[in-house]
Amino acid sequence: VVIGASIAGLTAAAAVAGQFDEVVIVERDRLPDAAEPRRGVPQGEHGHVLLVSGARALEELFPGLAGDLRDAGAVTLADLGTDMTFFRYGVRYRPMPLDLPLQSFTRPLLETVIRRRVNALSAVTIRDGTAVSGLAGDRHRVTGVRLEDDLLEVDLVVDASGRGSRSDRWLADLGHPAPGAVEVKIGVHYTTRLFTRTDGDFTDGRCVLVLPAPKTERRVGLAFPVEGDRWLISMGGWHNAGAPASADEFRAYARSLPYRPLSALVERAEPLTELATLRFPASRRRHFERLRHPAAGYVTVGDAVCSFNPVYGQGMTCAALEALALRSTVERHGPGSARLPVAFARAVARIVTTPWRFATGGDFAFPETTGPRPAGIDWLNKYTEKIQLAAQTSVPVRRAFINVQQLLAPPSVLFRPAMVAQVLRASRVVAPAG
Ligand SMILES: Cc1cc2nc3c(=O)[nH]c(=O)nc-3n(C[C@H](O)[C@H](O)[C@H](O)COP(=O)(O)OP(=O)(O)OC[C@H]3O[C@@H](n4cnc5c(N)ncnc54)[C@H](O)[C@@H]3O)c2cc1C
């Protein structure tokens, strides 16, 4: 049984569908046929970028998915380096080819297209409109999932119920300890609206991301082209940078950003939806890999393990990578093995550790961020700022940085002596303002 039919639950179910006679996904929401936001996934109204490594992992799980997304209206960005306008530290980064194609879509579209593929798997059933209320089992093993009026007996439970997972309580009822958790308080907010999109609306590229230069700036703005000839435009920021609550405030927020073409786009385009707002007080990671005796028959994936600052766009990618890891761990240990939870929790830790450090490291560049402070973070953030300045003009530095940010390469590539020399040299070149 998989608890939750969002990105983590759908990908996990697809990953192990070949290894179980039956996989049941239990989802509390009634699932809509159309690609529209739903209650259990409130973040679905906001911009979601799928990193290149996430797109590759999803393609491995669902061969041909990029084509399905294109057919459903997703917008293809031929190259991240030339199609995405990136603005930070007072300049628009020079467009340069990076050979990294990307697709742009709403979060509900991605979920709908993946769900269609999962529905086509004969071993998988989705029971929507059904909430899990607890687990059955004992101090050694989870053996079932409690529904309001039913009990499902299982070989394996996959908790994909997201950031609000109740599993600590459910496991405690069976006598299992909760994993240790860490929180980094970031006070992020998002306000999003969809607008009409017409050719020539925005001439500086095909989408735009404006990020703040810590410590003086806190605000983020982005505009992505999505299906249905629409712009998805979000205004956000760290540490309560003043979430816009009305159309006027939304426009004023866009004007307060240092990149004029984005506010011009907000002025010009016609709104199609109301404002959607979401507050994200803290990133949170649960360390299942540190449990000495985790419950047999129970594993956790997705935001229920690690819920990252959304600005870095890592959650769906980690979920897809974890699904692939679940497949190989089940293949290696067998579906009912008592070793499975330990081995899988370690695999998940290997997947999330780098993006967690990447995200929380960036967050600690803001002095208001609180939480366990990684050793050497001030020094690291100074070097990261130099990398980002160098990436404005240097092709090798931009390539290396983007490959790390897209989870295609380990951060160590940025610390090789030749790269450090390039970073230090290129960060002194002043890019033309604009
Ligand atoms: C504002 C915002 C922006 C984001 N932007 C990005 C981005 O750009 N890129 C990116 O990769 N990620 C982004 N993320 C993160 C991304 O949304 C998640 O990582 C992704 O959705 C995977 O989450 P999940 O499947 O683990 O959980 P969720 O998406 O939270 O889904 C949990 C599911 O479990 C169901 N459920 C919960 N409890 C029960 C229960 N008791 N019984 C049955 N069902 C239950 C819920 O209804 C829901 O369907 C963003 C997040 C936020 C908040």
Side-chain angles (χ1 to χ4, degrees):
V1 166
V2 177
I3 310 171
S6 179
I7 303 295
L10 293 169
T11 51
V16 298
Q19 290 151 317
F20 292 83
D21 294 335
E22 196 185 359
V23 178
V24 180
I25 308 178
V26 181
E27 167 56 49
R28 184 168 46 204
D29 278 356
R30 281 246 167 263
L31 296 170
D33 291 330
E36 57 195 40
R38 60 187 178 86
R39 195 158 170 241
V41 185
Q43 72 270 32
E45 296 191 277
H46 301 277
H48 272 65
V49 177
L50 179 63
L51 301 181
V52 175
S53 53
R56 290 181 186 170
L58 285 180
E59 197 63 30
E60 195 174 333
L61 286 163
F62 306 102
L65 187 79
D68 291 359
L69 281 163
R70 194 190 48 234
D71 295 345
V75 177
T76 301
L77 305 175
D79 189 355
L80 178 56
T82 50
D83 284 346
M84 183 184 284
T85 295
F86 187 61
F87 191 96
R88 197 171 202 185
Y89 300 110
V91 293
R92 176 185 170 198
Y93 281 41
R94 204 174 82 201
M96 49 180 79
L98 298 174
D99 305 323
L100 294 175
L102 206 70
Q103 286 183 303
S104 181
F105 35 69
T106 63
R107 168 69 169 66
L109 186 80
L110 178 65
E111 186 180 302
T112 306
V113 170
I114 292 178
R115 192 163 66 235
R116 272 186 216 138
R117 294 292 294 264
V118 171
N119 269 325
L121 299 170
S122 56
V124 183
T125 318
I126 303 181
R127 275 180 77 163
D128 67 345
T130 307
V132 170
S133 57
L135 303 171
D138 56 27
R139 284 182 61 80
H140 303 290
R141 173 172 275 281
V142 173
T143 55
V145 156
R146 295 187 190 285
L147 312 179
E148 205 166 89
D149 48 13
D150 202 357
L151 172 72
L152 303 179
E153 290 187 359
V154 299
D155 296 312
L156 181 67
V157 176
V158 179
D159 177 11
S161 62
R163 183 180 164 92
S165 166
R166 300 275 161 82
S167 63
D168 282 0
R169 217 184 57 205
W170 297 342
L171 288 168
D173 288 345
L174 302 183
H176 296 282
V182 287
E183 274 201 353
V184 175
K185 294 207 166 55
I186 50 176
V188 161
H189 71 80
Y190 270 54
T191 302
T192 299
R193 205 168 193 191
L194 293 168
F195 293 81
T196 52
R197 176 165 56 87
T198 36
D199 287 345
D201 259 350
F202 181 68
T203 49
D204 273 10
R206 305 209 39 218
C207 65
V208 55
L209 176 60
V210 182
L211 283 178
K215 310 161 179 168
T216 51
E217 299 170 354
R218 281 176 179 58
R219 295 186 163 190
V220 177
L222 59 89
F224 289 113
V226 296
E227 71 277 6
D229 294 325
R230 296 174 297 171
W231 285 109
L232 185 153
I233 304 186
S234 290
M235 298 292 141
W238 273 261
H239 298 297
N240 308 316
S246 69
D248 283 347
E249 284 179 19
F250 194 84
R251 283 195 293 271
Y253 200 100
R255 281 197 301 275
S256 77
L257 295 171
Y259 183 64
R260 294 282 158 253
L262 179 55
S263 59
L265 177 63
V266 171
E267 297 291 344
R268 229 182 4 252
E270 188 192 324
L272 294 168
T273 54
E274 297 301 316
L275 299 176
T277 57
L278 190 138
R279 291 191 179 277
F280 190 93
S283 304
R284 186 183 301 149
R285 178 172 175 190
R286 299 165 77 208
H287 286 283
F288 286 92
E289 76 283 6
R290 294 186 188 160
L291 283 176
R292 293 187 56 188
H293 302 291
Y298 191 86
V299 296
T300 309
V301 292
D303 284 16
V305 182
C306 194
S307 165
F308 302 95
N309 179 346
V311 174
Y312 302 96
Q314 298 166 322
M316 301 189 299
T317 290
C318 286
L321 293 170
E322 289 161 19
L324 288 172
L326 182 62
R327 173 184 287 168
S328 53
T329 314
V330 172
E331 267 166 11
R332 194 168 328 120
H333 294 278
S337 155
R339 283 283 306 151
L340 180 72
V342 175
F344 181 64
R346 286 185 187 154
V348 171
R350 281 193 292 277
I351 290 167
V352 301
T353 293
T354 293
W356 174 259
R357 284 199 188 133
F358 192 91
T360 54
D363 293 334
F364 277 109
F366 297 94
E368 299 89 341
T369 300
T370 56
R373 216 180 157 77
I377 192 64
D378 292 336
W379 174 86
L380 199 63
N381 278 338
K382 278 200 187 104
Y383 181 58
T384 306
E385 185 176 329
K386 284 198 189 308
I387 293 170
Q388 296 196 36
L389 291 170
Q392 292 171 348
T393 51
S394 159
V395 176
V397 176
R398 175 94 67 90
R399 270 186 197 277
F401 178 68
I402 293 291
N403 281 336
V404 171
Q405 186 250 332
Q406 297 288 319
L407 305 184
L408 295 167
S412 56
V413 300
L414 294 164
F415 295 89
R416 290 182 185 147
M419 181 56 63
V420 173
Q422 275 179 320
V423 166
L424 296 181
R425 211 172 30 245
S427 62
R428 285 192 220 109
V429 177
V430 180

